[in-house]
C-alpha cells in the first residue's frame, strides 16, 4: 500500500517538462507573500523551485510542486538565489557565506521610507557576503503583479549589479516570466531602484499642482465676482451658490484649460522645429517634462469634465431652481401674462447642450483609448489618430461649447463686475490660442515644411547644400 501513495504536491508545469533534465533549479529564501507569488510564476515558467526556510516543516503554504529545505541545503542545490526577506533579517545570511560564495543573489527587498539606512540593501548584502554576486531586481513588482502576470501590472523589471553574468541570468529569468528588462548599471544604482516603490505618483505631481493652482484661482476669482460682489454692492446673501453653481463654473473652466495644455506643447514643438529647421535638436527640458505629463493632464481634465456633467444634471432638482421656477409660474398666473417662445434662445441652448454632449463623448473616447489594455490593442496610426486628430476635435467642440455659453454676454457692461471679465472668458484664452496656432501649422505651406523636417530633412544639411552647389555649377 505504501508504494501506491501519491505525493501531496502537484507540479504546475507539464509532466513532460518535469522529466527533462535541463530544468533549471531556482532557490528562494523566504516564504512570505512575495516569495510565494514569485515561486508560483517560476514554476509556471518551467523552473524547479526550492525554498530555503528556518522552519522547513512549518513554513506555511507554498506553491504545489516546490520543495522546502533548510537554508544550507537549499543554497547548495542551485547557483541562483532570490532573497525575499527584509533587511533586518539579513544576519543569518552571513553564516551561509561558504554555501553562497560564487552564487548569484537577487535582492528584492524594499524599505518603508527613503534613507532609512546609510547604504542600499543590495550593497549591504554584498558587504555581508563578498564572495557572492548580488543583483538588485524585482523590487518594483508587487506580489499581486506577479500573481496576475505582466498584462495586468508593470511589464518592466529594473536590475543592477556588478557582475555581467549574474545580471544576464536574472534577465533571462525575467524574460521567461514575461517581463522586459531595464539594466540600470552597477550595484551603486540600487539606492535609486529601492526608492522607486516609495515614490507617490511621481508623474502626477506637476499636473496635480497645476490643477490645484488653477482650481484655487478660479474658485476665489468667481467667489469674489459672484458672491462677494452681490453681498457688497447689492446686499444679497447668495453664499449657498458656492456648493453647486460656483463649483459648476470652476470644474469646466479648469478642465478646458488642462485639455488645451495637453496639445499646446505639441504646437510649441512644431514651431521649434520650424525655427530650427531640424528635428534632431533636443527640446528644452521644460518642454520635455511638459510633454511627458500630457496623459496625466488629460485624465484629470476628463475627471473634472465628468464632474461638470454630473453637476449639470443635478441642477434642475436644486431647491433654489425649483423655488425660482415656482415663483415665476405664480407671478405669470397673477399677472395673467405668458412669456413668448424665443426661437433664438431655443437654438442657442440646444446647440450649447448638443456641442457639449459631443465634446464630452469624444473626451471619454480619449480617456478610454489611453488605458493600457486599449492602447495595446491599437496600432500606432490608430492611437495617433484618436489622440491627435480626435483630440483637437474634442478641444474644438469643448471650446465652441464655452463660446455658445457666453453667446453675446461679453457685450454687456453688467457682466464686468468690478471691471473684471467673466470666468468663462478667462478659460477661453488658452484653448483659443492653441486652436489658432494649430490652424497656422495646418496651412499648406507651413505643413509641407514641417512634414519634410519630421521626415529627416534639415535646413543646414551639408549633403543638401552640396547637391545644390553641384546643380548650380
Amino acid at each position: 500500500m505504501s508504494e501506491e501513495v501519491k505525493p501531496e504536491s502537484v507540479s504546475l508545469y507539464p509532466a513532460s517538462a518535469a522529466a527533462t533534465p535541463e530544468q533549471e533549479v531556482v532557490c528562494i529564501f523566504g516564504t512570505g507573500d512575495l516569495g510565494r507569488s514569485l515561486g508560483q510564476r517560476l514554476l509556471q515558467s518551467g523552473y524547479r523551485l526550492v525554498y530555503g526556510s528556518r522552519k522547513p516543516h512549518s513554513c506555511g503554504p507554498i506553491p504545489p510542486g516546490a520543495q522546502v529545505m533548510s537554508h544550507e541545503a537549499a543554497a547548495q542545490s542551485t547557483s541562483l538565489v532570490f532573497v525575499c526577506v527584509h533587511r533586518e533579517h539579513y544576519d543569518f545570511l552571513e553564516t551561509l557565506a561558504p554555501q553562497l560564495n560564487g552564487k548569484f543573489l537577487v535582492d528584492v527587498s524594499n524599505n518603508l521610507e527613503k534613507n532609512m539606512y546609510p547604504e542600499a540593501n543590495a550593497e549591504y548584502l554584498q558587504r555581508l557576503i563578498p564572495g557572492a554576486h548580488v543583483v538588485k531586481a524585482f523590487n518594483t513588482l508587487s506580489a499581486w503583479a506577479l500573481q496576475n502576470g505582466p498584462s495586468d501590472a508593470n511589464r518592466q523589471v529594473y536590475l543592477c549589479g556588478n557582475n555581467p553574468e549574474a545580471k544576464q541570468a536574472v534577465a533571462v529569468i525575467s524574460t521567461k516570466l514575461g517581463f522586459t528588462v531595464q539594466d540600470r548599471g552597477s550595484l551603486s544604482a540600487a539606492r535609486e531602484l529601492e526608492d522607486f516603490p516609495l515614490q507617490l505618483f511621481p508623474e502626477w505631481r506637476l499636473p496635480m499642482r497645476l490643477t490645484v493652482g488653477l482650481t484655487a484661482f478660479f474658485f476665489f476669482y468667481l467667489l469674489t465676482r459672484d458672491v462677494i460682489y452681490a453681498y457688497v454692492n447689492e446686499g444679497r446673501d447668495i453664499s449657498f451658490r458656492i456648493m453647486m453653481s460656483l463649483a459648476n463654473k470652476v470644474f469646466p473652466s479648469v478642465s478646458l484649460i488642462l485639455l488645451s495644455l495637453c496639445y499646446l506643447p505639441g504646437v510649441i514643438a512644431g514651431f521649434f522645429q520650424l525655427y530650427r529647421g531640424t528635428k534632431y535638436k533636443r527640446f528644452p527640458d521644460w518642454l520635455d517634462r511638459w510633454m511627458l505629463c500630457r496623459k496625466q493632464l488629460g485624465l484629470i481634465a476628463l475627471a473634472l469634465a465628468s464632474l461638470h456633467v454630473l453637476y449639470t444634471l443635478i441642477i434642475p432638482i436644486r431647491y433654489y431652481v425649483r423655488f425660482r421656477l415656482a415663483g415665476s409660474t405664480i407671478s405669470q398666473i397673477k399677472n395673467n401674462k405668458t412669456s413668448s417662445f424665443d426661437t433664438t434662445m431655443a437654438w442657442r441652448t440646444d446647440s450649447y447642450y448638443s456641442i457639449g454632449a459631443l465634446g464630452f463623448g469624444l473626451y471619454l473616447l480619449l480617456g478610454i483609448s489611453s488605458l493600457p489594455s486599449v492602447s495595446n490593442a491599437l496600432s500606432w496610426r490608430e492611437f495617433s489618430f484618436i489622440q491627435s486628430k480626435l483630440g483637437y476635435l474634442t478641444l474644438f467642440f469643448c471650446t465652441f461649447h464655452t463660446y455658445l455659453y457666453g453667446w453675446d454676454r461679453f457685450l454687456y457692461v453688467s457682466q464686468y463686475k468690478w471691471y473684471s471679465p467673466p470666468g468663462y472668458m478667462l478659460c477661453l484664452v488658452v484653448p483659443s490660442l492653441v486652436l489658432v496656432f494649430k490652424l497656422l501649422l495646418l496651412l499648406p505651406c507651413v505643413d509641407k515644411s514641417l512634414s519634410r523636417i519630421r521626415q529627416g530633412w534639415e535646413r543646414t544639411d551639408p549633403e543638401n547644400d552640396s547637391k545644390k552647389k553641384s546643380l548650380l555649377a
Side-chain angles (χ1 to χ4, degrees):
M1 295 293 292
S2 61
E3 295 179 355
E4 298 178 358
V5 176
K6 297 182 179 179
E8 296 181 0
S9 61
V10 180
S11 177
L12 296 178
Y13 45 83
S16 59
T20 56
E22 292 80 8
Q23 247 185 331
E24 185 178 351
V25 181
V26 177
C27 174
I28 295 178
F29 284 176
T31 56
D33 292 338
L34 183 62
R36 290 196 302 269
S37 301
L38 178 59
Q40 183 174 351
R41 289 297 303 278
L42 289 168
L43 286 168
Q44 292 172 346
S45 300
Y47 288 94
R48 286 180 55 199
L49 181 62
V50 175
Y51 280 100
S53 176
R54 292 174 297 174
K55 301 176 181 179
H57 302 290
S58 59
C59 63
I62 61 171
Q67 293 178 284
V68 183
M69 305 178 181
S70 64
H71 289 122
E72 294 83 355
Q76 293 174 354
S77 64
T78 179
S79 61
L80 193 145
V81 179
F82 285 91
V83 183
C84 298
V85 296
H86 295 289
R87 173 177 175 145
E88 52 267 27
H89 304 305
Y90 279 2
D91 294 341
F92 79 94
L93 295 171
E94 196 170 8
T95 62
L96 299 175
Q99 291 84 8
L100 295 176
N101 279 337
K103 302 293 179 70
F104 302 155
L105 300 186
V106 185
D107 178 58
V108 302
S109 64
N110 287 313
N111 297 318
L112 297 178
E113 58 185 33
K114 294 183 179 181
N115 301 320
M116 281 188 64
Y117 303 101
E119 59 186 343
N121 296 347
E123 293 177 313
Y124 173 63
L125 180 60
Q126 183 67 81
R127 185 163 56 85
L128 282 179
I129 312 174
H133 306 293
V134 177
V135 176
K136 186 72 182 183
F138 285 90
N139 68 299
T140 57
L141 299 177
S142 64
W144 174 262
L146 290 167
Q147 288 177 4
N148 291 274
S151 59
D152 298 323
N154 192 342
R155 292 177 175 270
Q156 293 183 330
V157 169
Y158 298 94
L159 61 85
C160 66
N162 297 330
N163 186 276
E165 295 181 3
K167 290 198 293 183
Q168 179 63 26
V170 177
V172 170
I173 291 179
S174 303
T175 305
K176 287 184 178 180
L177 295 184
F179 298 97
T180 58
V181 178
Q182 292 288 333
D183 191 341
R184 308 293 290 194
S186 65
L187 201 61
S188 59
R191 170 78 71 179
E192 179 186 0
L193 298 189
E194 291 173 4
D195 288 342
F196 277 178
L198 300 176
Q199 296 177 357
L200 184 62
F201 303 115
E203 297 177 352
W204 290 79
R205 291 178 183 174
L206 178 59
M208 288 302 300
R209 290 171 182 170
L210 187 60
T211 302
V212 171
L214 287 172
T215 302
F217 168 77
F218 276 99
F219 176 79
F220 289 109
Y221 183 82
L222 295 174
L223 178 68
T224 303
R225 275 182 43 88
D226 296 351
V227 179
I228 299 178
Y229 177 86
Y231 184 79
V232 173
N233 285 34
E234 304 171 5
R236 292 188 301 134
D237 181 12
I238 57 173
S239 57
F240 62 89
R241 292 189 178 181
I242 294 176
M243 300 304 296
M244 287 293 299
S245 299
L246 199 66
N248 203 31
K249 292 180 180 180
V250 172
F251 293 149
S253 299
V254 178
S255 176
L256 183 58
I257 293 178
L258 292 179
L259 179 63
S260 61
L261 291 179
C262 293
Y263 295 95
L264 181 56
V267 174
I268 295 175
F271 281 106
F272 262 111
Q273 291 175 336
L274 285 171
Y275 174 75
R276 294 171 172 177
T278 179
K279 70 170 185 178
Y280 297 108
K281 289 185 178 180
R282 284 196 59 185
F283 295 124
D285 291 339
W286 58 269
L287 185 57
D288 280 336
R289 292 195 299 269
W290 189 354
M291 296 182 75
L292 289 174
C293 68
R294 287 181 295 178
K295 178 180 178 179
Q296 289 75 19
L297 287 171
L299 291 176
I300 296 175
L302 175 59
L304 294 175
S306 302
L307 288 175
H308 171 53
V309 172
L310 182 61
Y311 272 54
T312 303
L313 294 175
I314 293 175
I315 281 178
I317 64 174
R318 293 174 59 207
Y319 168 77
Y320 172 73
V321 174
R322 290 187 286 111
F323 178 83
R324 289 292 301 269
L325 288 175
S328 175
T329 303
I330 294 173
S331 176
Q332 290 183 12
I333 293 174
K334 286 182 177 180
N335 297 327
N336 195 22
K337 181 180 178 182
T338 303
S339 300
S340 59
F341 182 78
D342 190 345
T343 306
T344 303
M345 180 61 69
W347 266 101
R348 171 192 165 187
T349 53
D350 283 6
S351 301
Y352 164 72
Y353 287 119
S354 177
I355 296 298
L358 289 173
F360 183 67
L362 291 174
Y363 232 142
L364 290 175
L365 180 60
L366 294 177
I368 293 172
S369 64
S370 66
L371 297 175
S373 57
V374 178
S375 60
N376 291 338
L378 299 174
S379 66
W380 169 246
R381 185 177 182 183
E382 293 169 342
F383 182 79
S384 177
F385 174 80
I386 294 175
Q387 294 295 326
S388 180
K389 302 295 190 300
L390 294 186
Y392 279 106
L393 186 61
T394 304
L395 180 61
F396 171 76
F397 276 143
C398 293
T399 305
F400 189 38
H401 170 72
T402 310
Y403 273 109
L404 289 175
Y405 169 80
W407 199 250
D408 60 348
R409 284 189 287 181
F410 69 96
L411 299 174
Y412 300 103
V413 178
S414 60
Q415 293 292 313
Y416 299 89
K417 301 174 183 178
W418 281 335
Y419 305 101
S420 61
Y424 76 89
M425 292 181 64
L426 293 181
C427 77
L428 282 171
V429 174
V430 179
S432 299
L433 289 176
V434 172
L435 292 174
V436 170
F437 290 152
K438 183 61 179 178
L439 287 176
L440 292 176
L441 292 178
L442 291 177
L443 293 175
C445 56
V446 180
D447 182 63
K448 184 178 179 180
S449 300
L450 186 58
S451 298
R452 290 181 63 195
I453 291 172
R454 288 176 175 174
Q455 290 173 0
W457 178 83
E458 292 186 273
R459 186 182 300 134
T460 57
D461 190 354
E463 293 183 4
N464 290 339
D465 291 342
S466 61
K467 290 181 181 178
K468 290 180 181 179
K469 290 180 181 179
S470 62
L471 290 174
L472 292 174

